[in-house]
Amino acid sequence: ELKVEQNPLFLSMQEGKNYTIYCNYSTTSDRLYWYRQDPGKSLESLFVLLSNGAVKQEGRLMASLDTKARLSTLHITAAVHDLSATYFCAVVPTATTSGTYKYIFGTGTRLKVLA
Amino acid sequence: AAGVIQSPRHLIKEKRETATLKCYPIPRHDTVYWYQQGPGQDPQFLISFYEKMQSDKGSIPDRFSAQQFSDYHSELNMSSLELGDSALYFCASTVGGSAGELFFGEGSRLTVL
């Protein structure tokens, strides 16, 4: 069974600091997605990583994918309070017999940035 | 740009009642996914549809059923509701066959009393 694990599960950090969230998965997948979720809200797409070595950056967030290590990272640079949210990675293993894909979400990392 | 539309946004039901959630995907998206998210938990996959056919099934209780209609909208029917069914229910859509980006609706919050 595919497992997608994130660490840490909870992260409290000071504004201005850097930190990395890790997403490990247990099966072959050549694409990975990062989402942000504010409390009680929908999931907002942050990054789409489609190949080994892919790196995407948006503002203070940078995501990378290493398909050989089955690892993705979400790096936060100089955190600000507005980044406080829960971050999920989602992995897409191979297609089902019906030709569609199952998106498996990680456990989530709840980030709190302290002013 | 049009997004995924879910209704109702909030729903309160008593135990053993039934509930129906609706999802209207982004135009030209033919694949719909339903997820259930309990408080403080990650989204759990329930069921998916591609071109109006069920394509995959996750941890969906037998009390729940769903379908996708000819206009690609989908409905999740929940019967004999239990307290544990209280959750946020998300619908997401994408173009099938490509493992592309999932676009999520705002969710329907179900509270079972």
Side-chain angles (χ1 to χ4, degrees), chain B residues 2-93:
Chain B
V4 177
I5 306 297
Q6 290 187 245
S7 68
R9 293 292 311 281
H10 302 273
L11 193 58
I12 299 175
K13 290 287 185 179
E14 300 276 344
K15 281 172 53 178
R16 292 180 288 278
E17 285 192 319
T18 62
T20 298
L21 306 181
K22 296 184 179 182
C23 169
Y24 295 85
I26 291 172
R28 290 182 293 282
H29 282 192
D30 53 12
T31 304
V32 167
Y33 294 79
W34 284 98
Y35 286 87
Q36 179 192 57
Q37 187 178 33
Q41 297 181 359
D42 55 289
Q44 295 294 312
F45 170 68
L46 292 177
I47 195 166
S48 62
F49 293 89
Y50 169 55
E51 280 292 343
K52 294 156 277 185
M53 300 284 289
Q54 180 183 308
S55 58
D56 201 2
K57 209 168 179 179
S59 51
I60 184 169
D62 291 340
R63 300 177 287 108
F64 292 10
S65 64
Q67 56 181 324
Q68 186 179 32
F69 295 85
S70 58
D71 64 350
Y72 295 104
H73 94 272
S74 178
E75 295 184 5
L76 178 66
N77 299 295
M78 300 175 283
S79 62
S80 302
L81 287 169
E82 302 174 356
L83 296 178
D85 296 329
S86 296
L88 257 177
Y89 290 82
F90 288 106
C91 169
S93 74

Side-chain angles (χ1 to χ4, degrees), chain A residues 1-113:
Chain A
E1 180 186 336
L2 171 63
K3 288 186 179 179
V4 184
E5 295 180 337
Q6 291 180 232
N7 72 82
L9 297 181
F10 298 94
L11 176 57
S12 181
M13 57 191 297
Q14 296 288 331
E15 276 193 330
K17 297 293 186 182
N18 305 332
Y19 208 85
T20 299
I21 298 170
Y22 297 89
C23 172
N24 293 87
Y25 52 97
S26 63
T27 194
T28 302
S29 176
D30 61 1
R31 57 187 63 210
L32 187 140
Y33 302 86
W34 282 97
Y35 288 87
R36 168 185 170 140
Q37 186 179 35
D38 293 298
K41 302 292 186 181
S42 184
L43 283 85
E44 173 192 354
S45 178
L46 291 176
F47 297 108
V48 178
L49 303 170
L50 298 178
S51 61
N52 185 41
V55 177
K56 295 276 185 75
Q57 182 163 6
E58 180 73 35
R60 301 174 187 273
L61 301 178
M62 183 173 72
S64 65
L65 177 61
D66 182 343
T67 58
K68 294 178 181 176
R70 299 180 182 175
L71 170 70
S72 180
T73 61
L74 180 65
H75 186 73
I76 303 158
T77 301
V80 293
H81 180 70
D82 285 351
L83 290 179
S84 297
T86 299
Y87 293 85
F88 291 98
C89 60
V91 174
V92 185
T94 53
T96 66
T97 53
S98 62
T100 57
Y101 296 83
K102 184 181 289 186
Y103 296 70
I104 307 298
F105 282 81
T107 44
T109 296
R110 187 173 297 177
L111 170 66
K112 186 171 184 179
V113 181

